[in-house]
Amino acid sequence: MVYKRIHIIGSTGSGKTYLARELSSRLNIPYYELDKVMWSSSVEFAGKNPPELRDRLLEDIISEDAWIIEGIYYKWVMRMF
């Protein structure tokens, strides 16, 4: 089995999302934005997702054989390395 896993790290505005989209398109690998894992998308509950939900969302992603993840978070994503 060949794993295809890429984590793009960089500062705000450095082009992480652009690079993730480009690689996703060229390599046919899904990409995920860690901001969407960290932050709630619900308008009425805007803010950080609870750690349990955040960790479950991350586990769902990293359990796949292929993914591209982009984001500056490092403490709670260490297990993906």
Side-chain angles (χ1 to χ4, degrees), residues 1-78:
M1 175 175 293
V2 176
Y3 294 101
K4 298 176 184 175
R5 298 175 173 166
I6 300 169
H7 184 179
I8 301 169
I9 301 171
S11 62
T12 303
S14 63
K16 297 180 302 294
T17 303
Y18 175 80
L19 179 58
R21 283 185 195 138
E22 284 293 313
L23 289 173
S24 176
S25 175
R26 293 177 189 204
L27 301 174
N28 197 29
I29 300 173
Y31 84 93
Y32 304 91
E33 299 173 39
L34 287 179
D35 279 345
K36 292 182 178 178
V37 173
M38 177 65 141
W39 298 97
S40 173
S41 61
S42 172
V43 173
E44 48 197 40
F45 299 110
K48 290 183 179 178
N49 279 322
E52 302 81 26
L53 174 57
R54 177 201 68 203
D55 292 347
R56 189 174 70 240
L57 293 170
L58 180 62
E59 286 297 326
D60 289 347
I61 295 168
I62 64 175
S63 67
E64 298 297 323
D65 294 337
W67 44 256
I68 299 169
I69 294 177
E70 64 88 0
I72 60 171
Y73 306 99
Y74 63 94
K75 288 183 180 178
W76 56 269
V77 300
M78 290 303 288

